[in-house]
Amino acid sequence: MSRLGGLCPDSAGIPVGHGLCESFLENVTSPERPRPRLSASHAQSVGSDRADRTLADHSTKQALQAAPMKLYGHYISLTTLQVMALLAEKRSSAELALVDVFAGEQKLAAHLARHPFGYIPVLEDGGFTLYETHAILRYLDSRLPGPSHLPTDVHERARMDQWLCIEQNYLLPAAKKVMAREYAKMMKLADPGLALVEEGERELRVVIGEFADWIANRTYVAGDALSLADLCWLADLYKMSALPQMEAIFAGARVEAWWKPLTERTEWKRAVAELASYGPKSPSPP
C-alpha cells in the first residue's frame, strides 16, 4: 500500500480504506508500473487541443489586460494617491471609480464584493481584481512597462520593505488616532476622547522623527533610485501635513531636502492634479 493512500480525500468520490484510493496512487507514483502509451494520432489530437486551449487562454488574457484599468478609491485617500503616483511614474493611468467613504459606500455589498474588509483602494485590471495597497503597487510595478521601483539589491529591497512596514504598522495607525475625533464628528460617532488624540500625536512624532533621521542625508529611502517606499511616504506626509491638526507635528520634521525634489517631479504633479480633479470644484469667480 502506498504511504500516500491515507491522504486521498473522501470528497474525491474514492472511498478511503477500500483499496481503490491506494491502487490509484500506486498506478500514478510507482516507477515499476508502465504508464499507458497514447497512439500517435491520439497524441497529436491531444497536443492540438492543448495548443488551442493555450492560445485561447493567451488571447483572453491579452484582451483583459488591454481593457482600461479601474481604481476604486477616493480623492481624499492617501493610499489612493500612492497608487496614482506610481501610475504616473509608469506613464500609465486608470479610471478612478469614486467610493464615497463619507457615505459609507465602502461597507456596502457592492464594494464588499471587491474588498471583503471594506476598504480602499481596489484595482480591477480586466478580469483580475486586487486589494491591499502594497500588493497593488507591487503588481502594477511588475505589470506595467517603465523603470522598476523595486530594488534589485537584496539589502536595498529589505530596506524598502522595512519602511513600508513602518508606514503600515506605525505611521498610519498613529495618524488615525490624531484624526479620531475629527473623523468621529464627521461620521456622527461617539467622541473617542482627547487622550487618544494625544497618544497618536506622541506616536506620530516618534515615527516621523525616525524617518527624518533616516532620510536626512539621503536622496531616496532605499538605495540610489526612487522606490515604492518613497512614493508611499511622500503621499502620506503630503496628505497629512496639509491638515491643521498635523501642523505642529510636522513643523520640525526636517524632511524638506528629500521632500522638495520629489514634489517637483512632473510625475508627482500629474498624480496630485489628476486625483484633485475628482474632488470638489472651486467656485468660478463672478
Side-chain angles (χ1 to χ4, degrees), residues 38-54:
L38 298 177
S39 66
S41 60
H42 190 189
Q44 185 177 6
S45 174
V46 170
S48 177
D49 288 345
R50 287 177 178 170
D52 290 344
R53 286 198 300 271
T54 300

Side-chain angles (χ1 to χ4, degrees), residues 85-90 137-138 140-142 145-152 157 160 164 225-231 265:
L86 179 61
L87 287 169
E89 290 289 336
K90 289 287 193 173
L137 292 172
R138 290 174 183 274
L140 289 175
D141 196 71
S142 301
S148 175
H149 298 77
L150 299 170
T152 55
R157 176 74 71 97
M160 179 196 75
L164 287 175
L226 191 73
S227 74
L228 297 184
D230 291 287
L231 295 179
R265 292 170 62 88

Side-chain angles (χ1 to χ4, degrees), residues 108-173:
L108 298 181
H111 189 70
L112 289 174
R114 294 183 286 264
H115 193 314
F117 306 110
Y119 291 98
I120 55 173
V122 176
L123 179 74
E124 283 185 357
D125 185 11
F128 181 67
T129 301
L130 186 65
Y131 58 86
E132 291 303 309
T133 308
H134 290 174
I136 292 171
L137 292 172
R138 290 174 183 274
Y139 169 74
L140 289 175
D141 196 71
S142 301
R143 156 85 165 80
L144 298 173
S148 175
H149 298 77
L150 299 170
T152 55
D153 178 82
V154 64
H155 294 143
E156 293 174 3
R157 176 74 71 97
R159 192 65 70 194
M160 179 196 75
D161 288 338
Q162 171 188 287
W163 282 103
L164 287 175
C165 288
I166 293 171
E167 180 237 3
Q168 195 165 50
N169 296 324
Y170 305 109
L171 179 69
L172 298 185

Side-chain angles (χ1 to χ4, degrees), residues 86-100:
L86 179 61
L87 287 169
E89 290 289 336
K90 289 287 193 173
R91 307 290 198 278
S92 188
S93 62
E95 174 194 349
L96 182 62
L98 285 177
V99 178
D100 191 347

Side-chain angles (χ1 to χ4, degrees), residues 49-64:
D49 288 345
R50 287 177 178 170
D52 290 344
R53 286 198 300 271
T54 300
L55 183 60
D57 290 344
H58 181 68
S59 299
T60 301
K61 186 175 181 180
Q62 281 188 322
L64 288 174

Side-chain angles (χ1 to χ4, degrees), residues 3 8 32 40 49 77 81 91-92 108 126-127 149 172 179 186 195 199 202 234 286:
R3 291 186 295 110
C8 189
E32 66 275 9
D49 288 345
S77 162
L81 178 56
R91 307 290 198 278
S92 188
L108 298 181
H149 298 77
L172 298 185
M179 297 303 299
M186 182 174 55
E199 179 182 75
R202 290 192 297 271
L234 182 61

Side-chain angles (χ1 to χ4, degrees), residues 2-50:
S2 168
R3 291 186 295 110
L4 300 177
L7 298 179
C8 189
D10 292 324
S11 59
I14 304 175
V16 178
H18 290 272
L20 296 178
C21 180
E22 292 85 343
S23 175
F24 170 77
L25 286 169
E26 285 178 356
N27 277 322
V28 173
T29 59
S30 296
E32 66 275 9
R33 291 178 181 250
R35 299 190 180 190
R37 296 180 178 273
L38 298 177
S39 66
S41 60
H42 190 189
Q44 185 177 6
S45 174
V46 170
S48 177
D49 288 345
R50 287 177 178 170

